[in-house]
Amino acid sequence: MNRTPENRFTCYALVAQCLLTTFFCYAETMAQQLSLRRYDVSEGLAHSFVGAIYQDAHGYLWFGTREGLSKFDGYRFTNYGVRDGLPHPIVNAIAEDHQGRLWVATNGGGVARLRDDPLTIEAFPQGRPAKSKFISFKIKDDSLDANRVNALLFDAQDRLWCATQVGVYLAKIGPNDQLKFEAVTTHINSGAPMAALADSRGRLWFTFDDEVIEVISDRIIKYGIQEFAGKQV
């Protein structure tokens, strides 16, 4: 049979159609096999609005909600709130330091480290408050907006970086968990979502509503949104 251009085109079209049909059938089969389950307050979650999700080194899932922090072990939730010493009920972000300790960013109480160790929790007589399960740190004592921390991360030196409503702050964890924050860069107060990332090359990235900040060996580089759009990273 002579393979004219028309015949070849028809053959290619049939092959493409077969491949697409196979792909969509496979995708539909996989979708039918996925097991989905919805968790909410009736299942034990602290609040139905979840603003942060984090999986720690042990595999536990942590959820930052508007009513505190929820830990999920695959079977049940354990919740931590203001009554446990959390400085603010809204948790915006979650991270681990190099020692495997969990830290949370709150929406007005600065940051806090969870110390959920039964050996450090003192038993009090009934009716008295239990010892706090959190150690709290203010970013800046006289600024509510500075203590609204929207994102946080630890760098290769185990220093804590926080993206707040008014700028980026940095602190090194000292003896006895002492923290002293210093402003790295400031920006106009904004309620827009923020994000923080440490990439595989050791660079730190912070995003705001109108700019992107890159940190390379403590050198700060700021990009406008349009400028960053064309950047090769």
Side-chain angles (χ1 to χ4, degrees):
M1 181 179 70
N2 293 329
R3 295 189 175 181
T4 64
E6 291 79 5
N7 289 335
R8 285 199 297 270
F9 177 80
T10 301
C11 181
Y12 294 154
L14 289 173
V15 171
Q17 183 178 5
C18 290
L19 290 174
L20 286 173
T21 301
T22 302
F23 170 78
F24 286 118
C25 288
Y26 175 77
E28 182 178 359
T29 301
M30 290 300 295
Q32 293 174 352
Q33 292 177 351
L34 289 177
S35 177
L36 301 179
R37 182 174 178 181
R38 183 177 182 270
Y39 294 93
D40 55 23
V41 292
S42 65
E43 300 285 342
L45 187 66
H47 194 275
S48 58
F49 183 93
V50 176
I53 303 176
Y54 183 83
Q55 185 173 33
D56 67 20
H58 302 288
Y60 296 117
L61 290 176
W62 297 85
F63 300 88
T65 80
R66 289 187 175 178
E67 285 294 340
L69 182 68
S70 291
K71 174 186 177 182
F72 186 62
D73 63 4
Y75 299 97
R76 62 185 63 86
F77 288 94
T78 302
N79 298 320
Y80 305 85
V82 174
R83 66 181 181 180
D84 299 302
L86 189 67
H88 194 280
I90 300 178
V91 175
N92 292 328
I94 308 166
E96 268 183 295
D97 62 20
H98 291 196
Q99 300 178 57
R101 301 178 302 182
L102 200 79
W103 295 73
V104 296
T106 73
N107 202 52
V111 298
R113 179 174 71 79
L114 177 67
R115 53 176 185 184
D116 188 22
D117 183 351
L119 297 178
T120 65
I121 305 301
E122 298 177 359
F124 283 82
Q126 187 174 7
R128 294 185 59 187
K131 186 175 180 180
S132 174
K133 294 183 180 181
F134 292 88
I135 302 176
S136 302
F137 304 90
K138 290 291 185 69
I139 307 300
K140 195 175 181 181
D141 289 332
D142 59 350
S143 174
L144 176 61
D145 287 332
N147 288 303
R148 287 177 174 153
V149 184
N150 295 284
L152 77 166
L153 60 78
F154 287 89
D155 64 15
Q157 301 175 53
D158 210 19
R159 297 178 300 176
L160 176 59
W161 296 74
C162 297
T164 77
Q165 293 286 92
V166 292
V168 177
Y169 286 79
L170 168 64
K172 182 178 181 180
I173 303 176
N176 300 319
D177 283 335
Q178 294 177 349
L179 289 184
K180 184 178 180 181
F181 286 93
E182 59 181 42
V184 175
T185 179
T186 59
H187 65 85
I188 298 175
N189 188 354
S190 171
M194 303 174 191
L197 170 72
D199 68 18
S200 59
R201 295 167 59 183
R203 300 174 300 180
L204 308 181
W205 299 90
F206 301 92
T207 63
F208 301 92
D209 58 338
D210 58 351
E211 68 178 357
V212 176
I213 296 175
E214 179 184 11
V215 182
I216 306 176
S217 301
D218 290 348
R219 183 167 61 96
I220 308 298
I221 305 173
K222 295 185 178 182
Y223 304 95
I225 297 299
Q226 296 299 324
E227 180 183 7
F228 183 77
K231 176 179 171 57
Q232 296 291 327
V233 297

